[in-house]
Amino acid sequence: QEKLPSGYVIRPLSRTDNQIRSNTSFLKTLQVLTTVGSISDQAFQDRFTYLKQHSDQYYTIVIEDMNVSSTSPPTPSATPLLVTPGRGKIVGAGTVLVERKFIHELGLVGHIEDIAVSADQQGKKLGQRIIETLMAIGEQVGCYKVILDCSEKNVPFYEKCGFERKGVEMGWYV
Ligand code: ACO
């Protein structure tokens, strides 16, 4: 995997990532995707607890820019997973959801969902780093494939990440 920009870390979503820091939080980051709605901190906590209770199924990661830390500057030697979450600002996010099938001898399929990079941070390869990390998680947990749905506009991005067109997405909205 290639490197993130200096001072940026990639790590699992944390319970404190809904706190607004430098006008950004996990939920604000998701607003580049679609309507997020108004979610109370309690509702966020409850959903986070559910994800943790199903931690072999939901893998949500974020990229945090530690350069904007309001407390202490980032430790140069800090490695991504050792960094204390909550000192910088969230600039990207993504999820891989692991589905357990009967077919393919109880095969596992990874579904990539809700990839978001803050508008002012796009084009720095952060999206690519998120996808690579989710693909690596899918591979490590034993998925035989990792799939996703996207708009036509995002096809070149996912092709750069190693995905190819397969099938047709269909939807039914209630
Ligand atoms: N068209 C053509 N090429 C693109 C596009 C595009 N729309 N987007 C990115 N690329 C290219 C980049 O130029 C770069 O190419 P290079 O290696 O030749 O320089 C490569 O793809 C990697 O791009 P990143 O810098 O990693 O892209 P970024 O960090 O901006 O993230 C993303 C891309 C996630 C699509 C971001 O623009 C975003 O958040 N958009 C709004 C929300 C969104 O559409 N999310 C995806 C929804 S689909 C889903 O969630 C499954």
Side-chain angles (χ1 to χ4, degrees):
Q1 236 193 49
E2 285 179 56
K3 280 209 193 118
L4 287 163
S6 164
Y8 285 59
V9 296
I10 193 159
R11 59 166 175 78
L13 178 69
S14 133
R15 194 173 276 287
T16 57
D17 287 335
N18 196 35
Q19 290 163 8
I20 296 184
R21 300 185 289 273
S22 310
N23 207 25
T24 332
S25 72
F26 170 64
L27 294 178
K28 273 191 174 273
T29 303
L30 292 182
Q31 284 175 2
V32 294
L33 271 166
T34 187
T35 312
V36 176
S38 95
I39 298 170
S40 68
D41 191 52
Q42 188 56 54
F44 173 81
Q45 298 297 327
D46 292 349
R47 179 55 50 91
F48 184 85
T49 301
Y50 181 91
L51 264 52
K52 277 286 163 201
Q53 285 164 348
H54 300 82
S55 59
D56 59 349
Q57 204 176 341
Y58 287 94
Y59 297 86
T60 297
I61 59 170
V62 295
I63 293 184
E64 183 170 4
D65 175 4
M66 305 297 280
N67 297 307
V68 294
S69 166
S70 54
T71 48
S72 51
T75 325
S77 63
T79 52
L81 294 171
L82 295 176
V83 167
T84 314
R87 292 188 306 144
K89 73 171 178 175
I90 307 298
V91 294
T95 293
V96 62
L97 175 62
V98 178
E99 176 202 357
R100 285 163 170 74
K101 286 191 174 290
F102 282 106
I103 61 168
H104 290 292
E105 294 185 82
L106 305 179
L108 304 184
V109 174
H111 297 265
I112 286 187
E113 289 286 340
D114 298 351
I115 305 304
V117 173
S118 306
D120 64 338
Q121 301 275 333
Q122 290 175 7
K124 294 180 176 182
K125 301 276 161 82
L126 301 184
Q128 204 170 329
R129 299 289 96 86
I130 291 169
I131 298 300
E132 286 165 358
T133 306
L134 297 176
M135 289 163 82
I137 292 170
E139 192 174 5
Q140 264 173 32
V141 303
C143 293
Y144 70 90
K145 67 175 179 183
V146 174
I147 57 178
L148 61 87
D149 288 332
C150 72
S151 62
E152 197 60 39
K153 166 169 115 22
N154 285 328
V155 167
F157 166 69
Y158 287 112
E159 283 178 339
K160 291 233 157 103
C161 295
F163 284 74
E164 56 188 58
R165 284 179 192 267
K166 285 273 175 191
V168 174
E169 178 200 347
M170 297 184 66
W172 180 72
Y173 287 75
V174 181

